[in-house]
Amino acid sequence: MADRSFSVAKLPGFTATAIIVFAALYLPIFTLVGYSFNANQSVAVWGGFSLDWYAKAWANTQVKDATVLSLIIAVTAAVIATAVATLAALGTTRRKKFRGETFIYVMINQPLMVPEIVTAVTLLIFFGIIKQATGIQGIGYVILAHAAFCIPFAYLPIRARLEGMDLSLETAATDLYASSWQTFRFVTLPLLLPGVIAGAMLAFVISLDDVVITEFVKSGGQDTLPTYMLGQMRRQMTPEINAVSTMLLVLTVVLLTAFFFLTRKNDQ
Amino acid sequence: MTQVNAVEARNVVKAFGQGDNTVRALNDVSVEIRKGEFFTLLGPSGCGKTTLLRLIAGFEMPTSGTILLEGADITYLPPNKRPVNTVFQSYALFPHLSVAQNVGFGLQMQGRPKKEVDETVARMLALVKLEPMANRKTSQLSGGQQQRVALARALAPKPKVLLLDEPLSALDLKLRKEMQIELKRLQTETGITFVFVTHDQEEALTMSDRIGVMSAGKLQQVGAPKDIYTRPVNRFVASFIGETNFLSATAESGAARLGTGDLVELPGLTGSGSVTVTVRPEQVRLVDPAEAGAIAATVKTLVYFGTDTHCHLALKDGTEVVARLQSPATGEAGLAQGQSVGLRFAAGAAQIVED
């Protein structure tokens, strides 16, 4: 062989494997999007092109209410989780090494390790006790639950950004008469911002599509978009679900793309 | 003393670690740095020079001892309260700010009015010849330009002392030479006290008014470059700064007797016992072996350096001595390997050093 360097692409079956994997990843999504334009009542039998299901979903007040609630929860939970995660990341990277640092790190990432259903049941019981004792109801419980499991998702990119940031920049700021607050405000935070935005976006997206924990924690009439869709599918499946899913998909893709360009510009 | 020192360290100890793992980075260091001088802390890596600089800047607090700035105790003052600025080895320029914003950062944090900040920034950029770069990002600058921004940023708030932590080590040789001259010019023009840390003895000799040589957490010698070079107090200082020969000898009255039996005149030497004699290679003269008082030697190897040649000689007892000689003019026959020669030390060149 003329070219002796190793390349995975030259292994037998590489192209075929790649095509199969990509098909497995994206074919179901394309099918879902395709059938959202189905004129037929069925989600599986093609009956011609139509935008009816989008119009129907748009006019459906239940879908609208669920969407608004989902957005309220996702935005609030993402803000809370990002604020907490930023403090946690600063606390675990911007100080001297301390005993039990690894333990703290694992504790912060606990929601990533504990099975979601366990967290869901735990929160259901825990919040039940609080509701019983205080009598306080409302959407706050769902927001708190979402904020809790979003923290590690916000924490990881912020911590990664901080670890890549030279501590001598903050030292230089204090040398140039900046107080602790000024150092944070004018040096640490602006440099950390891409990480904070990444963390917030990730937390938002994770909160937006959560089903398991929401289903357990929510009270009656507190349907988010995912739990509403789950409820619909128990009754009857129409391409309306496809239409809603497609819109959710588009929202997520737009957000992530915006985020990608935003951080790339900031890194230059 | 009529004038207050710019910086004074008194019996400073800095220990890192705990229990048996304690390392004394600074072991009872006292030094006085005068106002307006270019003072260099010179030593090999790990000798404590950077630690001393960080203590003056306030990034670390000493385990014991006192640090004074113009007579005032600043030992436990946080760095943002000290009228002292630092040029960092990595420059530590703020990547999210422009060149002008970097230079103005200190003044802005001090809450100076915008007009004053703008004027000072313009003056500083002119001082380091970077006016056209004012609005660039620091990442768009070359290493030498970044270095100048770091200097301008540290000088802008008019510190009482400017600390420089090996700022030239990242630059290539040619740029480093330019920046040495540039730094000296800035120091003269601003009149600010510079405390410069380096492990490069040549850099220290060419730039400093005074040098403090450090080793193993202790200050070995403080003095003008010429004093340190010509009158090193101990073996470490003699060998760290420039090249030198060490010869074992026995002390006699007014002279030291080498292992070969030859006498080296050392007025003022008294006592007995073994001593170490040091002579710089350029102070070794080659003479006719028959001359009275000449020490017999054989040429072993010749190393050509362009203008100079290093001549490695062996004495009768095998001791090696290096002589630095001017290379012979073209066409002239020089020394040959194996040639027998006599050597003599220039008057006053030989000295006794402590081990």
Side-chain angles (χ1 to χ4, degrees), chain A residues 16-56:
Chain A
T17 313
I19 290 171
I20 291 168
V21 169
F22 276 110
L25 281 174
Y26 287 99
L27 212 55
I29 295 177
F30 287 137
T31 315
L32 172 121
V33 174
Y35 275 93
S36 71
F37 301 108
N38 192 0
N40 203 319
Q41 275 280 341
S42 163
V43 292
V45 184
W46 185 250
F49 181 85
S50 145
L51 287 170
D52 283 359
W53 296 113
Y54 282 90
K56 222 170 193 165

Side-chain angles (χ1 to χ4, degrees), chain A residues 169 174-175 177-179 186, chain B residues 80 82 85-86 93-94 96 109:
Chain A
L169 294 175
T174 59
D175 184 61
Y177 312 108
S179 63
F186 296 112
Chain B
N80 58 326
R82 299 184 185 205
N85 292 131
T86 310
L93 298 177
F94 304 124
H96 61 298
M109 292 303 115

